């Protein structure tokens, strides 16, 4: 007998109901008249084969149907168990693949850092051996007066001509490398536009930076080698920051060792932060603040604004410690690639010049927490630095007595919407400044080889150099401008000052009342 098949559980329930009704009718007929049952029995006696056979066939048919239903139920249960088992196996497989990829990525970055550490250590050992050999040669030459005089003459002539003293002697302590590219750039007749394209600033600004840093980074010549000139030291640092290229490419460009280039970049960045930051990146005085207020008010109509604030993320290689703290969830979701970052919070004036920066907090921290960790927050809260003035921020910051942010609730009124448009014009100043910062110094757009503990020094130097370029009116190539991908996350407590809420409402009302928010036609 062929078993019937059913499409879905509704069909099964329908058949169950039909069976139930059939059984009820059978019970009613059995509990009927005794006479009918007797007549039926008598009739069966008269014809025992016909009715009994029919009744038997009917029972067999019902039994077959019940058996089919039971088999279908068992089959459905078995299929559901297999589906659950397959789902669980897929889930375990995905988890295992994810763990395997994460482990492989961590091992890759660890091997990369170990490789660079090994290269630096090898070069350090080679330099040490070279110095020992060179010292032995010098001591041997000192034993013979005539040879000593000849060596001295050779060293002096080599220093004057900028070339090696003797091919054999020079190869004892330094590898021959070509610095022709830098020699070409350093020539007075080198095109100004090409120079600016390479170092992100004109020759006059470059010379000014070299002069400012000369007393800190200049080195003296030694008996065995000539010191690297100040201009070349600054050029190595600027080219590295401007391009973000690996140190091996910097080494080929300037004819220097990889470890030497790495050391020069950190030395020059440290000098910029020590010498130039107090001069070119500082909070404005009273006279400058009055000028800044007037310029911001002319832009937006909002009074007493002394700065526009923004927080941007700088990508880094996964650190060996506190990995979760530096994990950037939003960039990872957007790029479909695991991303780690540190933050740079900056306040700029109307020209896009940084007046305050906070560098180095992990990328997982939202903007409001970075603000609370900054020195600016403590000076404003405890020192009264920003009493009676505003710093404009995005919706990622809380509304404070000195931080003015846009309205973030749903269903804004016309007044609130117009206020947000005007405050957006001030926010744009900071965002454009960060776009130019990252455009000029491309090292901020890619994961760098610089160690995590040295990154604040490099980022601080980039901010100072940005200010110098802005103050010297060094225009940035439009092709270098980048699009910021920083996400604003509304803080858990966006409104932290009742007085600031009233002040913001008053500013929005005044903008609307005086026709400064694009509503003068009303």
């Amino acid at each position: 007998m062929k078993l019937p098949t059913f499409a879905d559980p509704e069909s099964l329930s329908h058949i169950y109901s039909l069976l139930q009704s059939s059984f009820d009718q059978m019970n009613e007929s059995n509990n009927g008249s005794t006479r009918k049952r007797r007549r039926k029995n008598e009739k069966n006696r008269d014809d025992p084969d016909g009715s009994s056979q029919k009744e038997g066939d009917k029972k067999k048919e019902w039994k077959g149907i019940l058996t089919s239903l039971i088999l279908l139920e068992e089959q459905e249960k078995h299929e559901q168990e297999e589906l659950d088992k397959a789902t669980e196996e897929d889930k375990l497989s995905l988890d295992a693949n994810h763990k395997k990829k994460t482990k492989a990525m961590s091992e890759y970055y660890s091997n990369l850092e170990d490789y660079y550490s090994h290269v630096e250590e090898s070069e350090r050992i080679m330099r040490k051996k070279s110095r020992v050999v060179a010292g032995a040669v010098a001591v041997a030459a000192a034993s013979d007066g005539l040879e000593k005089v000849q060596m001295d003459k050779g060293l002096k002539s080599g220093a004057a001509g900028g070339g090696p003293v003797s091919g054999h002697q020079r190869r004892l302590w330094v590898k021959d490398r070509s610095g022709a590219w830098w020699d070409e750039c350093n020539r007075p007749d080198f095109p100004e536009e090409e120079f600016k394209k390479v170092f992100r600033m004109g020759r006059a600004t470059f010379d000014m930076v070299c002069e400012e840093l000369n007393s800190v980074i200049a080195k003296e010549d030694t008996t065995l080698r000539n010191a690297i000139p100040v201009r070349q030291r600054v050029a190595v640092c600027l080219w590295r920051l401007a391009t973000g290229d690996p140190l091996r490419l910097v080494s080929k460009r300037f004819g220097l060792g990889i470890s030497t280039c790495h050391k020069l970049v950190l030395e020059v960045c440290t000098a910029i932060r020590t010498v130039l930051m107090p001069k070119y990146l500082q909070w404005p005085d009273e006279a400058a603040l009055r000028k800044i207020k007037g310029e911001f008010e002319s832009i937006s109509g909002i009074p007493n604004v002394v700065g526009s604030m923004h927080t941007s993320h700088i990508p880094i290689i996964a650190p060996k410690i506190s990995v979760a703290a530096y994990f950037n969830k939003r960039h990872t979701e957007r790029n479909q690639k695991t991303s780690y970052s540190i933050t740079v919070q900056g306040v700029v004036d109307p020209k896009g010049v940084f007046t305050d920066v906070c560098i180095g907090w992990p990328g997982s921290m939202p903007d409001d927490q970075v603000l609370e960790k900054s020195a600016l927050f403590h000076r404003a809260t405890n020192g009264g630095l920003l009493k009676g003035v505003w710093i404009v921020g995005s919706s990622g910051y809380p509304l404070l007595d000195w931080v003015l942010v846009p309205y973030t609730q749903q269903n804004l009124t016309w007044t609130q919407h117009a206020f947000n448009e005007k405050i957006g014009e001030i926010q744009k100043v900071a965002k454009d400044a960060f776009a130019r910062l990252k455009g000029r110094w491309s090292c901020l757009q890619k994961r760098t080889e610089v160690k995590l503990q040295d990154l604040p020094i490099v980022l601080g130097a980039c901010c100072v150099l940005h200010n110098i370029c802005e103050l010297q009116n060094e225009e940035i190539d439009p092709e270098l401008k980048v699009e910021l991908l920083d996400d604003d996350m509304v803080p858990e407590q966006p409104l932290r000052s009742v007085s600031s809420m009233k002040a913001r409402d008053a500013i929005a009302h005044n903008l609307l009342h005086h026709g400064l928010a694009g509503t003068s036609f009303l």
Side-chain angles (χ1 to χ4, degrees):
M1 176 180 178
K2 183 178 180 180
L3 297 178
T5 58
F6 304 98
D8 50 28
E10 293 181 359
S11 300
L12 292 175
S13 62
H14 179 67
I15 292 176
Y16 275 124
S17 62
L18 290 177
L19 290 174
Q20 185 66 36
S21 61
S22 300
F23 286 138
D24 293 341
Q25 291 177 3
M26 290 175 64
N27 291 333
E28 289 178 359
S29 61
N30 290 333
N31 292 329
S33 174
T34 306
R35 294 177 181 178
K36 292 180 179 181
R37 189 177 299 172
R38 289 177 179 177
R39 291 175 184 175
K40 190 175 182 180
N41 292 334
E42 292 175 357
K43 197 173 184 180
N44 289 337
R45 291 173 187 171
D46 297 336
D47 188 10
D49 297 331
S51 60
S52 299
Q53 184 176 359
K54 291 181 180 179
E55 184 176 356
D57 291 342
K58 189 176 293 185
K59 287 183 179 180
K60 288 181 180 179
E61 185 175 354
W62 288 119
K63 186 175 181 181
I65 292 174
L66 289 175
T67 304
S68 300
L69 292 176
I70 294 172
L71 290 175
L72 285 172
E73 186 176 2
E74 291 294 330
Q75 182 179 1
E76 182 181 3
K77 185 184 297 185
H78 180 67
E79 290 177 353
Q80 184 64 35
E81 290 177 354
E82 290 183 348
L83 180 62
D84 294 341
K85 184 178 180 181
T87 304
E88 184 66 23
E89 290 178 353
D90 291 342
K91 183 178 178 182
L92 293 175
S93 177
L94 289 174
D95 291 341
N97 289 337
H98 176 70
K99 292 179 180 179
K100 187 182 297 182
K101 290 181 179 179
T102 303
K103 183 179 179 181
M105 183 181 64
S106 301
E107 292 178 353
Y108 171 75
Y109 287 126
S110 178
N111 293 336
L112 185 63
E113 291 191 358
D114 292 341
Y115 168 74
Y116 285 116
S117 299
H118 178 70
V119 170
E120 293 178 4
E121 182 65 20
S122 299
E123 291 197 352
R124 187 185 66 81
I125 295 173
M126 290 177 64
R127 288 199 307 272
K128 185 176 180 180
K129 291 181 179 179
S130 299
R131 287 194 294 268
V132 171
V133 174
V137 172
V139 170
S143 62
D144 190 339
L146 180 59
E147 292 181 0
K148 183 176 182 298
V149 172
Q150 292 177 349
M151 177 175 285
D152 290 339
K153 289 181 179 181
L155 289 172
K156 290 178 181 178
S157 63
V165 177
S166 171
H168 177 70
Q169 291 179 354
R170 188 164 181 84
R171 277 193 293 270
L172 288 174
W173 52 276
V174 68
K175 180 181 179 181
D176 290 331
R177 292 184 176 92
S178 174
W181 181 84
W182 163 242
D183 294 338
E184 180 70 18
C185 292
N186 198 31
R187 289 173 54 185
D189 58 347
F190 189 75
E192 179 71 13
E193 289 300 322
E194 292 296 325
F195 189 92
K196 184 175 180 179
K197 186 176 181 180
V198 170
F199 298 108
R200 304 296 193 262
M201 61 179 65
R203 193 181 299 275
T205 306
F206 181 85
D207 292 340
M208 184 267 291
V209 172
C210 293
E211 185 178 353
E212 294 271 6
L213 300 178
N214 183 74
S215 60
V216 180
I217 64 176
K219 305 294 182 182
E220 296 182 356
D221 296 341
T222 64
T223 306
L224 298 176
R225 69 171 64 189
N226 299 325
I228 301 173
V230 171
R231 291 178 61 83
Q232 188 173 2
R233 291 172 178 269
V234 175
V236 169
C237 179
L238 292 185
W239 197 80
R240 164 80 163 139
L241 299 180
T243 63
D245 286 343
L247 290 171
R248 57 183 177 83
L249 297 182
V250 183
S251 171
K252 291 181 180 180
R253 284 280 183 176
F254 291 90
L256 301 172
I258 294 177
S259 59
T260 302
C261 292
H262 177 68
K263 184 178 179 182
L264 287 178
V265 171
L266 292 182
E267 285 182 354
V268 175
C269 287
T270 303
I272 290 174
R273 188 173 182 180
T274 304
V275 178
L276 299 183
M277 182 175 282
K279 185 176 181 180
Y280 293 99
L281 201 162
Q282 58 181 347
W283 190 253
D285 55 20
E286 289 298 327
L289 285 178
R290 285 194 295 270
K291 184 178 180 181
I292 290 174
K293 290 179 185 178
E295 293 179 359
F296 273 127
E297 188 169 1
S298 65
I299 293 174
S300 63
I302 301 177
N304 296 324
V305 176
V306 297
S308 177
M309 182 167 55
H310 182 73
T311 299
S312 187
H313 289 256
I314 309 299
I316 62 172
I317 296 175
K320 293 184 178 180
I321 57 174
S322 304
V323 178
Y326 293 90
F327 176 70
N328 192 317
K329 181 179 179 181
R330 300 223 168 194
H331 286 196
T332 300
E333 293 175 351
R334 180 187 299 109
N335 303 329
Q336 297 297 314
K337 183 178 179 181
T338 307
S339 301
Y340 301 89
S341 65
I342 64 172
T343 59
V344 178
Q345 174 189 283
V347 180
V348 302
D349 66 9
K351 295 181 179 179
V353 175
F354 288 100
T355 56
D356 183 87
V357 291
C358 177
I359 301 170
W361 291 103
S364 64
M365 293 178 61
D367 294 352
D368 60 323
Q369 293 184 15
V370 175
L371 176 63
E372 292 174 359
K373 297 288 186 180
S374 65
L376 178 68
F377 183 87
H378 294 286
R379 284 186 292 166
T381 305
N382 303 324
L385 174 66
L386 300 171
K387 188 174 182 180
V389 296
W390 297 105
I391 290 180
V392 171
S394 65
S395 57
Y397 300 100
L399 179 65
L400 302 173
D401 292 334
W402 51 278
V403 178
L404 189 63
V405 299
Y407 292 96
T408 57
Q409 66 268 25
Q410 299 291 332
N411 303 322
L412 298 178
T413 65
W414 177 257
T415 303
Q416 294 171 342
H417 180 73
F419 172 82
N420 284 0
E421 288 185 347
K422 282 298 178 181
I423 206 173
E425 296 178 2
I426 302 180
Q427 295 174 25
K428 188 175 183 297
V429 176
K431 291 182 180 179
D432 289 345
F434 270 98
R436 293 195 299 275
L437 172 71
K438 290 187 173 182
R440 276 196 180 100
W441 314 114
S442 300
C443 67
L444 305 181
Q445 303 175 34
K446 57 186 73 173
R447 296 179 296 183
T448 177
E449 301 167 356
V450 179
K451 295 180 180 179
L452 187 61
Q453 59 268 27
D454 296 328
L455 268 178
I457 298 175
V458 176
L459 299 182
C462 290
C463 293
V464 174
L465 293 171
H466 165 86
N467 281 3
I468 293 175
C469 292
E470 294 289 321
L471 294 172
Q472 297 295 325
N473 297 319
E474 298 281 358
E475 295 184 359
I476 184 174
D477 189 345
E479 296 180 356
L480 296 176
K481 290 185 179 180
V482 298
E483 181 182 359
L484 295 182
L485 298 176
D486 300 313
D487 303 295
D488 294 331
M489 300 174 59
V490 178
E492 296 180 358
Q493 296 181 353
L495 306 176
R496 303 184 186 181
S497 173
V498 177
S499 60
S500 298
M501 294 171 59
K502 296 179 180 178
R504 182 173 64 175
D505 292 339
I507 293 173
H509 176 76
N510 289 335
L511 290 175
L512 183 68
H513 180 71
H514 293 93
L516 299 175
T519 56
S520 56
F521 60 89
L522 295 177

